[in-house]
Amino acid sequence: MAVQRTFVIIKPDAVARNLMGEIIGRYERKGLTVVGMRLEKAAKATAEAHYAVHSARPFFADLITFITSGPLVVLALEGDEAVSVVRNLNGATDGRESAPGTIRGDFGMSVGANLVHGSDSEDNAKAELALWFPNDDGITSRKRCDADWLDA
Ligand code: IDP
Ligand code: MG
């Protein structure tokens, strides 16, 4: 088993819809540990750096407008295979197609306003964590009291 850290955004649509607690609760109940968390309105430069890989896509401008439109929550999550575990919990990009039981499948009907972001690889997780939590500022690793059950 490989303990990983991954990066999550609870996007402005989810914060506006008061789904923060629901979403964080799903990650916690699954067995991931929240090791960093911040509510903020993202700077345009940070949003553009985060989504740089999509800069040539036709939806890029709308994506940056959306992600900077209101407060979002950035999370650092730790756990066994955290990168893929979070991607599975989040569900497919388009809420109309994502499976019931996933965050997007349960709460969304949009491809753009799709509630959450999760890093898609360990390398991207490291880069995104460095962008949003520079120098590990605000990161506090800790052991869950149920850790022995989670990796039993
Ligand atoms: P992901 O978030 O599931 O990894 P990506 O394809 O990496 O999906 O796209 C990044 C984000 O860009 C999506 O989460 C969504 O907010 C937005 N996006 C992706 N495709 C479209 C589209 O076709 N129209 C509008 N927004 C899109
Ligand atoms: Mg992606």
Side-chain angles (χ1 to χ4, degrees), residues 8-147:
V8 162
I9 300 175
I10 301 176
K11 296 183 180 183
D13 56 324
V15 173
R17 293 174 59 198
N18 296 307
L19 290 168
M20 267 189 290
E22 170 69 38
I23 292 168
I24 294 166
R26 287 180 176 221
Y27 297 134
E28 286 188 306
R29 293 197 301 270
K30 176 67 174 170
L32 296 158
T33 309
V34 177
V35 296
M37 176 160 66
R38 198 170 68 242
L39 174 75
E40 69 179 21
K41 211 168 157 186
K44 190 163 180 251
T46 310
E48 286 173 345
H50 175 81
Y51 280 124
V53 68
H54 295 302
S55 60
R57 306 284 284 277
F59 58 81
F60 183 69
D62 286 347
L63 178 58
I64 299 305
T65 300
F66 160 61
I67 211 75
T68 58
S69 65
L72 49 71
V73 176
V74 288
L75 296 173
L77 298 177
E78 198 172 82
D80 186 36
E81 306 289 349
V83 171
S84 63
V85 167
V86 163
R87 294 280 292 186
N88 287 337
L89 289 172
N90 288 357
T93 306
D94 186 337
R96 284 161 292 224
E97 290 166 10
S98 35
T102 66
I103 292 165
R104 288 164 168 172
D106 285 351
F107 300 115
M109 292 282 283
S110 168
V111 65
N114 59 1
L115 301 134
V116 280
H117 163 83
S119 308
D120 62 7
S121 69
E122 202 171 7
D123 282 350
N124 284 338
K126 287 195 174 103
E128 291 169 5
L129 286 166
L131 175 68
W132 293 89
F133 293 96
N135 308 311
D136 274 359
D137 234 17
I139 303 286
T140 50
S141 199
R142 66 198 165 82
K143 189 177 178 202
R144 291 174 61 123
C145 69
D146 56 358

